[in-house]
Amino acid sequence: MNPTSNHAPCVYIVDDDQQVRESLEWLLESVNLPTKLYQNGQEFLDAFTTGLPGCVILDVRMPKMNGMELHLAIKQIDPNFPVIIVTGHADVPMAIRAMKEGAFDFIEKPYNDQHMLERIQAAIHEYNSLQQDHQRSQELKKRFDSLSKREQQVLQGILQGKPNKLIADELFISIKTVEVHRSNLMSKLEVKTVTDLVRLAIEAKKDDATP
Amino acid sequence: MAAAQTVSIGVLNQHHDPEEDAFWSKTAQYLSHNIPGYNFTIKLMGLECLNQAIEKQQLAFVITNPANIVALQKSEDARPIATLQTRYQTQVSSYLGAVLIARADRNKLKRLSDLKNQSVMAVSPSEFDGYQIIERELLLAGLSPEKDFFEMLFTNGSQKNIVKAIVNDEADIGIVRSGILENMIADKEIQPGQIKIIHPQDTPNYLPMHSSSMLYPNWSMVKLNHTDIALARQVAITLKSMPKHESTLDYDPFYGWTQAADLTTVNGLLQALKLPPYAPSKEVSLKQILKEHESVTLLVLTFMLVLTFFTVRLSRVNRKLAASQSELAKHRDNLEQEVIERTKELSSVNKALEQDIIARETIEETLRRSRSALQGFYEITVNPELTQHEKLAALIKLARDHFAMDAAFLYKIPPQDAESTRQQLDLCVADGNTEMEDDILANLPQHFDKNESGEIKCVKNEQDNKCYISLYVMVENTPHCLLAFVGNSKLNPNIAQVDQELLRLLSQWIGSSIERQTIEDEREKYRSQLGKVTRLFTVGEIASGLAHEINQPLTASINYISGSLRRLDDNSDTTVKTGLERSLGSLNQASQIIRRMRDFVQMGIHREETFDLVRLIKRVLDLLEIESGQQSISLQSVGTDKPVLVKGDQVQIEQVILNLVRNAIEATQLQNAKPNTKRVVTVSLTTIGDQVEVSVADNGPGIEDSEIEHIFDAFHSTKPDGMGLGLAICRSIIETHNSRLDARNTEQGAEFIFRLPHVTTQYETKSYETSKRKT
């Protein structure tokens, strides 16, 4: 049902320092988190595909493209993908800037393993739920889009609480026809009761406003 | 006192007369004495000479006869300012006339008509009072001197000689100026009864003497066109007040000066006689004569031939005598006059020469002295063994010796000079008799006025008999120091031009050496400030670099141990678990220590301000100019012709550019640098969008590929004695500015680039907006 749940989340580690890179892998493997290692930003950007669960951990200080720049590049591709920035020489302005630019967290080296693992889990979870919301709203949109024009007009009437007779009068069609449309759109939207229909419509409307 | 201006008075002089000359020079003396600032001189001249001198504007005034005056009125716009007076017995007159005289025993000669066929004698046809006046009377009476006289003789001698010639019966009729007879009678040269007057006129009110003619104004002094009007007016007034000549004789032809007389009658005369300025042009007159008198001329010519034949024999002896006599008189007159003129000229030239020699000697002496002073000045300033202060002292001593002063002082004027007075002066240098400082303080200017700063003041104090010289030393157009000398008052208060120059030179030298010192001091201050900043950054970077370097393995260890701990299950050996936990604790402690150390040594406070990047770059290049100049490396800047405003920490950015340029200079000096190329370091600015890109490029060997990854790492250096912090510091600074520092190789060498936010000034924004609104 949910495509993301078919994939295990993956933690991408971008750091030019090999020992830091590999030790973090060692830590994450101990809690059964799969990892992928990259020694610079470009290497990661080349391999990165959006939509898969996980998060990325970046070092700030790297040659050619530094962590702050890589962060912006990732946000360009997928604004929701969680980025945890790690640095050995943090200062407050840099941290503020990173958070403003949408980083999931800004962690100073050396870090507490528990804290790091919790933040990684949180990032993966948030991205998952974001992805799920996104997919649900995509699906709802698809369902509503499958209605014919007449069915949508009938749906509007139902949502406004009008009886079938009134809808039939307004649309210059017979009550019988309205009833047919009504049952068709219910089955298309996979709802059984009018209550479910209204809840679904509200949910779809909320998602429409958010994108 | 200024030299008197010489004013020349030209006097028409056709015959030399000592009495006359005495009167002219008396007049000149009187004028010179009464009109200050002018020296009047008399120039005696013949008519030709006089006209030439007038034409060349050599004369300011002219004393001449009325006919000449009328001519000058037309040609030179001359204006009479005073007329000569004569006195006969008690009566004074400013008129003159002419008399026709004959021996008293010539009974038949009474009227003008009686003159026909007589032999007539006059001085010269050009003489106004000796001939022209009578010529007009003759014309009025219908007589023509050429046609009607037996002969017309011109002696060119003195008029008195004509009277004598008449007495001796050498001619029948004589023409002389009125007054001559009276004069000769007074001088007992002739007897009163010997001579009679033909055609006498009765004009006792105007002319007391005998006259056979109408009266005309006497000789006058005229001013010429170019003569100063004020001076002319002064001369006219002075002449009138000139005391009259005192003489016991009945007749005095040079009695004094009076108001200028009217010349209308003279005009009539000149018109009648067709004399200048009324003379018809010669060409026309010849033609006219030929046309009008063709037949008559022929007749006259033949008649004249016959007549001459007879006359020549009769008058030959007479003529020869008269001619030789007049010739002699003429020669004598000319000779005398020439001798007088020459003597005058020679004495004046002599005088001028003497003055010239004295003046030249003084100038030479001054020049010699200042040349030696300047020589000394130069030697002191270029002497490499003296310090700046020793040079200053030596120069002041030199100037003091040069002016023969007793003491010299150099004071520093306090900077708040608006209210400063002499009490607040700081003594910098004292030379000579330093006890005289009280004197100098008492005589210095009370307040320091910026406006009179360039002047040299020389004050002579009569009370203590001392002389004070003071002048300001200017630094950036404000008085900075006061240089003062004191000494005996032998010195001439008018300091010679060359000596003034010497003083100014000294003051300029002091000024420029002070300026140089100030610049040196400022540069030293700036250098030490930069040094301080550099040290601060170095310490910070050491801490930061160390932290980073240790943090990396520390992080790795913590990761490994944490990972290992999580891999241990409950069945594992608890001692291993405890050991790992303790080591994790120790590692965390180590990381805490490092964090505290880094927090303690902060990078310095980051201050955001807007500043001109161009000025900063120029300052850095200026500072490094000396280093690079010694190595013959050229420092260039591109895109720095107008200010570029950026936002950031000025001190930190300066540190970065200084480091980068210094690195670039060192890179061009490396062993493997390209040979035979001019070594250049270029700092360029480019505006890209809302950012300014700063590039520091060199044409050295570039960065090796293996190095380029680590070039910014702390403690990483390619230099044998390098700490490996310079570029690390630069990177840290640029990172705190939310930018990055990049290094890359170019075709020429290496290039370091970073960007800063560009600030457009309000003015620029405004003008941009208005232009947008217009379009």
Side-chain angles (χ1 to χ4, degrees), chain B residues 3-9 37-43 58 60 231:
Chain B
Q5 193 185 331
T6 302
V7 177
S8 299
I9 305 174
Y38 292 94
N39 185 20
F40 291 81
T41 58
I42 296 292
K43 296 260 163 80
Q58 290 168 344
L231 176 64

Side-chain angles (χ1 to χ4, degrees), chain B residues 737-756:
Chain B
H737 284 78
N738 292 336
S739 180
R740 51 175 298 126
L741 181 62
D742 282 317
R744 66 174 183 222
N745 283 321
T746 63
E747 284 174 26
Q748 286 81 30
E751 188 182 19
F752 288 83
I753 301 166
F754 64 92
R755 292 184 186 187
L756 289 173

Side-chain angles (χ1 to χ4, degrees), chain B residues 305-329:
Chain B
L305 267 170
V306 181
L307 255 176
T308 338
F309 185 70
F310 289 105
T311 336
V312 164
R313 268 172 193 269
L314 275 166
S315 59
R316 184 171 285 165
V317 182
N318 210 351
R319 254 189 239 169
K320 270 188 182 171
L321 252 165
S324 61
Q325 200 178 13
S326 71
E327 197 80 353
L328 259 170

Side-chain angles (χ1 to χ4, degrees), chain A residues 143 147 151 154-155 158 178-198 200:
Chain A
R143 274 193 233 170
L147 300 183
E151 284 166 352
V154 174
L155 174 64
I158 296 166
V178 172
E179 277 167 357
V180 172
H181 283 312
R182 189 168 173 152
S183 88
N184 279 352
L185 73 90
M186 296 277 270
S187 69
K188 272 184 181 172
L189 294 176
E190 296 171 21
V191 289
K192 294 205 168 68
T193 61
V194 176
T195 327
D196 287 345
L197 177 68
V198 172
L200 198 68

Side-chain angles (χ1 to χ4, degrees), chain A residues 17 19-20 22-24 26-27 29-31 61 64 66 69 88-89 97 108-111 113-114 117, chain B residues 548 551-556 558-560 562-564 566-567 591 595 598 709 731-732 735-736 738 740:
Chain A
D17 192 317
Q19 55 177 339
V20 173
E22 288 172 357
S23 67
L24 188 54
W26 173 262
L27 175 66
E29 275 174 357
S30 70
V31 288
R61 189 170 281 184
K64 285 180 187 158
N66 70 26
E69 285 168 325
H89 59 114
R97 189 181 144 210
E108 205 177 342
K109 274 196 254 183
Y111 35 75
D113 61 325
Q114 194 56 42
L117 290 173
Chain B
H548 187 257
N551 263 342
Q552 296 293 88
L554 216 55
T555 309
I558 292 170
N559 281 347
Y560 280 123
S562 311
S564 303
R566 284 173 194 281
R567 280 179 173 77
S591 70
R595 191 167 296 162
R598 208 193 46 210
E709 299 266 311
R731 182 177 61 174
S732 298
E735 277 175 0
T736 58
N738 292 336
R740 51 175 298 126

Side-chain angles (χ1 to χ4, degrees), chain B residues 608 645-648 690-692 737-739 755-759:
Chain B
E608 193 114 303
L645 296 180
V646 293
K647 205 181 255 181
D690 56 354
Q691 288 188 312
V692 179
H737 284 78
N738 292 336
S739 180
R755 292 184 186 187
L756 289 173
H758 187 211
V759 178

Side-chain angles (χ1 to χ4, degrees), chain B residues 377-544:
Chain B
F377 188 95
Y378 175 73
E379 278 167 9
I380 291 167
T381 51
V382 299
N383 191 343
E385 287 168 15
L386 296 178
T387 65
Q388 205 72 356
H389 196 265
E390 284 168 342
K391 281 182 187 178
L392 182 63
L395 287 175
I396 289 175
K397 181 171 169 20
L398 177 91
R400 185 178 68 80
D401 289 344
H402 178 69
F403 290 103
M405 300 303 262
D406 294 331
F409 302 94
L410 180 69
Y411 294 99
K412 191 174 185 319
I413 299 170
Q416 67 281 15
D417 50 347
E419 292 297 319
S420 63
T421 56
R422 60 190 181 195
Q423 278 80 20
Q424 292 168 288
L425 291 170
D426 289 335
L427 184 62
C428 296
V429 179
D431 185 52
N433 184 2
T434 49
E435 286 168 15
M436 294 173 101
E437 199 186 343
D438 293 339
D439 290 333
I440 208 146
L441 284 176
N443 281 279
L444 281 180
Q446 279 285 341
H447 292 279
F448 300 107
D449 188 357
K450 280 183 188 176
N451 297 329
E452 48 183 81
S453 45
E455 287 169 22
I456 295 169
K457 278 189 193 158
C458 188
V459 185
K460 209 163 181 176
N461 192 329
E462 298 296 342
Q463 289 172 348
D464 58 2
N465 210 26
K466 275 172 188 149
C467 190
Y468 300 91
I469 302 175
S470 62
L471 75 158
Y472 291 108
V473 173
M474 306 296 288
V475 175
E476 286 167 352
N477 287 330
T478 46
H480 192 275
C481 291
L482 182 74
L483 184 60
F485 298 91
V486 58
N488 286 326
S489 64
K490 274 178 281 179
L491 189 83
N492 182 5
N494 296 322
I495 307 171
Q497 195 67 36
V498 279
D499 287 347
Q500 288 194 20
E501 287 302 318
L502 183 73
L503 278 177
R504 288 212 182 88
L505 204 62
L506 178 61
S507 128
Q508 277 165 14
W509 186 87
I510 297 170
S512 67
S513 80
I514 289 168
E515 256 171 51
R516 206 164 43 227
Q517 192 61 45
T518 319
I519 290 169
E520 283 289 317
D521 289 351
E522 270 173 15
R523 192 173 280 186
E524 197 49 50
K525 213 164 116 192
Y526 174 64
R527 233 189 266 268
S528 78
Q529 256 179 7
L530 260 184
K532 250 184 235 165
V533 172
T534 311
R535 274 198 298 284
L536 210 76
F537 274 111
T538 309
V539 170
E541 193 58 32
I542 287 172
S544 158

